[in-house]
């Protein structure tokens, strides 16, 4: 470890591994420093299932085309225009090639999951999920000669005039406390597991947030980079935040704590009041708004309420629903005011209009005369037993990050590109995601910019 590497990659998830493999295939010597123990390697990638890539035709596992234009339209709508158009369109264009490139690195696809996900045309699913995908990338990296060290926490970066010189380690590795490299790729995630940092922007409400992914994404590398002259991008309160079961653990609950049942019922706060349209859009495009919506409610808690007629319509989660034979009994178990909940459901039922229910399209089942409306998939809640899930904001990753250009090269505060520092994955996702989210885009950002960062870092090191 006392030798100088061509490329140092800090991080151990999808973006980091794509960067390491890409740099190694370009002829560079590569060291990966993963701050987590080996069992927990891979950051949030461990909990993923799929990736959204543009493609021009159906494949063995995708049911039809998903053009660059459609991908861009989806991204523009979900971000409300808060995206770097040049970078976003570059990512979408590059994503076409990623579908094949990632297979060349040992990752395998499987047909899409069905049900409420509606992703069979747009998203490719990893055979065996995120952990299997990670294992394949690690195996390929090791076979190529990438050196990987676990429990390798970086506590300082030596950067002068936009040039990376070395990384200081908390614990020595092979007696080395400093790692030197000709180029740096930062792929160490956001700061969602750093509750104190979240509280700087969210206040005491952040104490009620649950962190869906790794407890190791504390944002230390991001903070160092921003403190040492890298330009930031993104609103620190924006993040990928979904509604997850309030009974989930504080960290690392993963995909099995997420609820896909919102479109089949209503959502109320602790005062038993509805607060948003549960049928606004197809679920994969809108599921990631519900974390922020719940975060804005009193005590950051809400309840998804539905009835027995739909209990088998969506993917079950780790925790069973709470049941009551009457609305009043259910309210008592949820510690809600029974009269208030009965009033909310009675008013909702009265507002439901006749229609033909179809959760795979924007159907004509809607409400009239209540605020907020439910614009699609509205059906009366009237078949006992009545069921509910308590939910809290589940933060996946934060959008405050490092600004980059199309070479994945970090941009310094003076507007000049860094001499030898690159970034990939969640640490720079705010370039593409100013707000909002659609299923699988995080993995696209990681793979595309990871591959680019590795290639460019290797080229930089050789020069």
């Amino acid at each position: 470890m006392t030798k100088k590497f061509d490329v140092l990659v800090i991080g151990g998830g999808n973006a980091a591994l794509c960067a390491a493999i890409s740099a190694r295939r370009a002829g560079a010597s590569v060291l990966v420093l993963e701050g987590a123990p080996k069992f927990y390697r891979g950051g949030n990638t461990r909990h993923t299932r799929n990736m959204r890539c543009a493609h021009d035709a159906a494949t063995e596992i995708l049911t039809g085309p998903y053009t660059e234009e459609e991908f861009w339209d989806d991204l523009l709508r979900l971000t409300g225009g808060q995206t770097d158009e040049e970078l976003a369109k570059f990512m979408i264009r590059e994503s076409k090639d990623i579908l094949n490139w990632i297979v060349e690195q040992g990752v395998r696809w499987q047909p899409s999951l069905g049900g409420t996900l509606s992703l069979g045309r747009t998203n490719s699913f990893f055979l065996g999920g995120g952990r299997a995908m990670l294992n394949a990338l690690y195996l390929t990296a090791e076979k190529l000669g990438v050196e990987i060290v676990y429990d390798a926490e970086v506590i300082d970066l030596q950067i002068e005039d936009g040039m990376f010189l070395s990384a200081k380690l908390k614990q020595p590795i092979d007696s080395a406390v400093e790692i030197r490299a000709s180029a740096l790729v930062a792929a160490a995630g956001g700061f969602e597991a750093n509750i104190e940092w979240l509280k700087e922007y969210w206040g005491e409400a952040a104490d009620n947030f649950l962190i869906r992914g790794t407890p190791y994404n504390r944002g230390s590398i991001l903070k160092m980079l921003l403190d040492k002259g890298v330009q930031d991008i993104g609103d620190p309160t924006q993040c990928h935040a979904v509604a997850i079961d309030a009974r989930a653990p504080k960290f690392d609950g993963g995909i099995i704590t997420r609820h896909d049942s919102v479109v089949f019922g209503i959502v109320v706060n602790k005062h038993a009041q509805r607060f948003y349209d549960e049928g606004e859009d197809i679920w994969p495009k809108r599921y990631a708004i519900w974390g922020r919506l719940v975060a804005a409610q009193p005590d950051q808690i809400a309840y998804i309420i539905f009835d027995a007629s739909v209990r088998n319509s969506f993917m079950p989660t780790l925790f069973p629903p709470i049941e009551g034979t009457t609305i009043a009994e259910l309210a008592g178990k949820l510690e809600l005011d029974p009269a208030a909940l009965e009033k909310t459901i009675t008013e909702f039922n009265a507002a439901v209009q006749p229609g033909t229910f179809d959760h795979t399209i924007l159907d004509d089942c809607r409400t009239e005369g209540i605020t907020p409306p439910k614009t699609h998939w509205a059906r009366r809640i009237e078949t006992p037993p009545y069921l509910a899930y308590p939910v809290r904001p589940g933060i996946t990753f934060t959008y405050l990050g490092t600004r980059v250009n199309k070479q994945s090269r970090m941009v310094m505060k003076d507007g000049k590109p860094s001499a030898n520092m690159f970034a990939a994955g969640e640490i720079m996702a705010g370039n593409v995601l100013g707000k909002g989210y659609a299923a699988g885009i995080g993995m696209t950002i990681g793979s595309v910019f990871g591959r680019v960062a590795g290639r460019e870092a290797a080229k930089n090191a050789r020069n």
Side-chain angles (χ1 to χ4, degrees):
M1 292 299 160
T2 53
K3 73 179 183 183
K4 186 175 184 179
F5 287 86
D6 291 330
V7 177
L8 172 64
V9 179
I10 302 178
N14 167 51
L17 269 290
C18 286
I21 290 168
S22 177
R24 186 75 189 109
R25 289 200 184 280
S29 61
V30 183
L31 173 65
V32 172
L33 298 180
E34 162 62 290
K38 186 173 182 179
F39 180 81
Y40 289 105
R41 71 184 183 184
N44 289 337
T45 304
R46 291 163 41 242
H47 298 302
T48 59
R49 294 189 291 208
N50 59 73
M51 186 189 301
R52 180 179 294 256
C53 292
H55 49 278
D56 292 328
T59 69
E60 287 180 13
I61 51 100
L62 291 161
T63 60
Y66 185 51
T67 64
E68 291 180 47
E69 293 73 24
E70 186 182 357
F71 195 157
W72 168 243
D73 287 344
D74 284 343
L75 185 62
L76 199 58
R77 192 162 55 251
L78 66 93
T79 60
Q82 292 183 35
T83 182
D84 181 320
E85 182 172 348
E86 187 186 18
L87 266 187
K89 286 184 172 177
F90 169 76
M91 178 201 77
I92 290 167
R93 191 165 61 249
E94 291 282 310
S95 76
K96 280 180 153 177
D97 199 35
I98 283 290
L99 276 175
N100 294 320
W101 184 83
I102 209 86
V103 170
E104 290 165 10
Q105 314 320 316
V107 176
R108 294 168 66 190
W109 302 118
Q110 68 178 46
S112 167
L113 299 175
T116 48
L117 292 175
S118 308
L119 294 172
R121 182 174 63 84
T122 59
N123 287 43
S124 301
F125 280 69
F126 307 120
L127 180 64
R131 195 180 279 262
M133 184 248 196
L134 267 175
N135 289 345
L137 292 179
Y138 270 98
L139 189 62
T140 296
E142 287 163 357
K143 283 180 177 175
L144 289 171
V146 172
E147 295 188 47
I148 299 162
V149 183
Y150 301 101
D151 286 308
E153 187 178 346
V154 173
I155 56 170
D156 195 21
L157 297 172
Q158 189 182 357
I159 297 167
E160 291 179 9
D161 298 324
M163 176 174 260
F164 168 77
L165 300 174
S166 65
K168 190 177 180 184
L169 300 162
K170 186 174 185 179
Q171 302 287 343
I173 299 170
D174 294 346
S175 77
V177 291
E178 203 165 53
I179 303 291
R180 294 176 305 129
S182 299
L184 168 71
V185 176
F191 66 93
E192 63 277 358
N194 188 331
I195 305 299
E196 291 307 308
W197 196 353
L198 290 176
K199 284 168 82 167
E200 288 181 27
Y201 310 113
W202 288 91
E204 297 305 311
D207 282 329
N208 288 325
F209 294 175
L210 301 174
I211 313 308
R212 299 176 71 208
T214 175
Y216 296 94
N217 279 10
R218 294 185 285 264
S220 55
I221 301 301
L222 174 61
K223 205 172 201 48
M224 285 175 219
L225 291 167
L226 299 184
D227 287 348
K228 291 172 186 285
V230 175
Q231 193 179 140
D232 68 353
I233 192 166
D235 176 347
T237 69
Q238 291 290 345
C239 52
H240 177 343
V242 306
I244 69 168
D245 203 290
R247 298 163 288 184
K250 184 70 174 176
F251 297 101
D252 232 17
I255 201 90
I256 56 172
T257 62
R258 189 183 98 191
H259 288 291
D260 295 338
S261 52
V262 168
V263 298
F264 295 98
I266 62 172
V267 185
V268 302
N269 61 20
K270 66 177 282 190
H271 302 305
Q273 302 295 316
R274 289 176 61 244
F275 53 89
Y276 198 81
D277 179 355
E278 300 92 348
E280 185 179 43
D281 202 350
I282 294 291
W283 189 235
K285 296 178 185 177
R286 298 309 280 164
Y287 78 97
I289 67 168
W290 281 92
R292 291 182 66 83
L293 292 171
V294 175
Q297 297 307 305
D299 294 342
Q300 296 74 52
I301 187 85
Y303 305 87
I304 305 168
I305 294 174
F306 52 100
D307 69 16
S309 69
V310 298
R311 75 182 305 165
N312 296 323
S313 299
F314 49 85
M315 205 173 299
T317 68
L318 179 64
F319 300 95
I322 295 163
E323 297 192 22
T325 53
T326 64
I327 297 295
E329 183 188 344
L330 180 65
K333 290 183 176 180
L334 301 176
E335 298 183 5
L336 299 177
D337 179 340
L341 185 59
E342 285 177 335
K343 181 173 183 285
T344 293
I345 291 177
T346 299
E347 289 176 353
F348 174 79
N349 286 346
V352 172
Q353 302 301 300
T356 305
F357 180 84
D358 185 347
H359 73 80
T360 65
I361 61 169
L362 296 173
D363 70 8
D364 61 350
C365 295
R366 59 188 175 82
T367 60
E368 255 182 32
I370 57 167
T371 303
K374 184 171 181 182
T375 47
H376 304 284
W377 313 302
R379 289 188 293 181
R380 293 164 64 91
I381 298 171
E382 57 188 1
T383 308
Y386 301 97
L387 306 121
Y389 290 117
V391 290
R392 288 201 181 277
I395 312 296
T396 314
F397 65 92
T398 46
Y399 291 176
L400 175 69
T402 59
R403 188 180 287 275
V404 299
N405 62 19
K406 282 198 299 187
Q407 286 77 46
S408 283
R409 194 184 289 266
M410 293 186 223
V411 177
M412 307 307 290
K413 286 191 171 80
D414 62 8
K416 293 176 183 172
S418 160
N420 64 345
M421 297 192 298
F422 304 82
E426 292 170 6
I427 201 169
M428 50 66 64
N431 289 273
V432 175
L433 294 169
K435 68 171 187 177
Y437 192 77
I441 283 187
M443 293 298 284
T444 316
I445 292 170
S447 295
V448 167
F449 289 103
R451 183 187 181 192
V452 171
R455 183 176 68 220
E456 294 296 326
K459 190 190 298 181
N460 186 278
R462 287 205 309 276
N463 293 340

